[in-house]
Amino acid sequence: MGSWGTGPFDSDHAADFANEVDRALPHQRHTVIQHRLTRYTEAAEPDDYVQDEAIAAAALVAAQCPGGLATEGPYGPEKPIPELPAHLRPLATAALDRVLATAQSTMGRWFQRESAEQWLDGVEQLRTVLDPATPFTTAYVPGPLLPHEIGTRAVREAFGVDRIRSLPGAGEPGPRGMLVRQLNQAALKLDGAQEDLLEAVGSSLTHLDSVRRDLQGLADGEIREVHKGSAPAFLLHTALGVPLAARAERHQRLMGLIDLYRELSPAPASTSRAAAARTRSTPTRAASASPEANPVGPGRAGPQKQHRR
């Protein structure tokens, strides 16, 4: 299945569902929305596309709740939706509870951790809007960090969280919310710089090994000379200087943002996702759990496709 982003309408089937809502008569649009929610909540083992359509339907319900976000855009419904019946709100809430209960499985289908967690954050925000008074639980345990994810690790360890976006202030419009976004981006940039450096190190080691073999061949009489271009005198400085400087600069920026966040948020952050949920302004509810990053595909004239496994 294809998607091109992490929003509720950023997938093939969700965009098709939006088109179906537009095609329905105004007084019948709530029926289309209810059908997608009911089909997902009542299915024994719903397919991925059924889940995606249910999330999109829940987003339409949440848009009419206090604090809800508008769903207009290139992929959401283009026609106005009349006021929806009150019974759709608990139905949408139940649908998202099921999505969150199976989050481990859904998250595993994304090729990029960042995209997966951004998608999950969006679902959690919809769930909070639909029923801010009822706690919910997200059945998701982040996998081990990859060797190059040193920025993500630094922020998690600094504040004792398992997701940067679970830091207090995440999603807020004020300075602290902006700072969390900057922390996340700085951590990702440091991760990228470390990945570039590791690739440069690997390439340099390969080249140096080739030089070593040439020198050994020269000593053994197997070759007559070593080309001057193979001399390693300047190799490491040339190959590693730029990625090392980039990593140092990005590390310094991240450390500065961590210090600034500590000044704005002197209270220690939660040490787990569950604890973070308990300390948020809107708590979260236990739901039955089910089994275990990618961006995604086409839409209505959307960006270039990528695909989930």
Side-chain angles (χ1 to χ4, degrees):
M1 186 189 84
S3 54
W4 52 89
T6 60
F9 290 96
D10 292 346
S11 66
D12 293 334
H13 292 99
D16 290 342
F17 160 69
N19 281 329
E20 185 175 343
V21 172
D22 279 339
R23 289 194 299 268
L25 295 174
H27 69 280
Q28 295 177 333
R29 287 175 190 154
H30 76 278
T31 304
V32 178
I33 295 170
Q34 179 173 333
H35 172 261
R36 295 307 194 278
L37 293 170
T38 303
R39 181 171 64 171
Y40 176 67
T41 56
E42 293 183 354
E45 296 182 4
D47 293 331
D48 293 344
Y49 80 89
V50 176
Q51 175 176 284
D52 285 351
E53 291 181 346
I55 294 172
L60 296 179
V61 179
Q64 296 190 2
C65 298
L69 298 177
T71 56
E72 292 87 357
Y75 310 116
E78 297 176 353
K79 297 181 179 178
I81 298 176
E83 183 176 355
L84 296 172
H87 72 270
L88 290 187
R89 190 165 172 177
L91 182 59
T93 300
L96 293 190
D97 280 341
R98 185 173 192 182
V99 172
L100 295 173
T102 59
Q104 194 73 31
S105 174
T106 305
M107 298 286 278
R109 293 196 292 270
W110 294 81
F111 290 124
Q112 295 179 2
R113 185 196 306 273
E114 168 67 7
S115 297
E117 294 188 353
Q118 186 175 351
W119 169 84
L120 182 58
D121 289 339
V123 174
E124 290 175 332
Q125 289 170 13
L126 288 175
R127 173 57 176 78
T128 298
V129 167
L130 285 166
D131 186 0
T134 305
F136 62 88
T137 294
T138 301
Y140 166 62
V141 178
L145 290 170
L146 300 175
H148 71 275
E149 293 181 302
I150 60 174
T152 299
R153 177 178 290 106
V155 178
R156 290 185 181 185
E157 292 180 351
F159 301 111
V161 295
D162 57 13
R163 271 195 278 161
I164 295 177
R165 287 190 179 86
S166 68
L167 284 170
E172 294 178 0
R176 195 166 66 162
M178 180 180 297
L179 184 54
V180 173
R181 291 191 292 274
Q182 291 177 342
L183 271 169
N184 189 59
Q185 290 304 312
L188 292 174
K189 288 183 178 180
L190 179 53
D191 292 346
Q194 176 69 0
E195 188 172 22
D196 291 343
L197 177 60
L198 292 176
E199 290 178 359
V201 168
S203 177
S204 298
L205 290 174
T206 299
H207 190 94
L208 286 172
D209 191 56
S210 176
V211 172
R212 180 194 61 77
R213 290 195 303 270
D214 287 348
L215 292 174
Q216 187 64 52
L218 183 65
D220 295 341
E222 296 175 359
I223 59 176
R224 297 179 62 85
E225 63 178 9
V226 176
H227 192 275
K228 288 195 300 182
S230 299
F234 61 88
L235 175 66
L236 293 181
H237 178 271
T238 302
L240 304 184
V242 172
L244 275 170
R247 187 184 69 172
E249 185 274 330
R250 291 175 178 178
H251 180 270
Q252 183 177 18
R253 171 165 174 74
L254 180 60
M255 294 303 104
L257 289 170
I258 288 175
D259 290 341
L260 180 57
Y261 184 85
R262 284 193 174 111
E263 292 179 9
L264 292 179
S265 305
S270 306
T271 57
S272 69
R273 183 77 186 118
R278 289 194 295 272
T279 59
R280 293 185 310 179
S281 58
T282 303
T284 76
R285 171 177 96 187
S288 58
S290 172
E292 188 205 279
N294 136 42
V296 287
R300 315 177 189 172
Q304 180 181 2
K305 275 190 182 182
Q306 301 173 40
H307 292 280
R308 270 189 234 168
R309 291 178 287 186

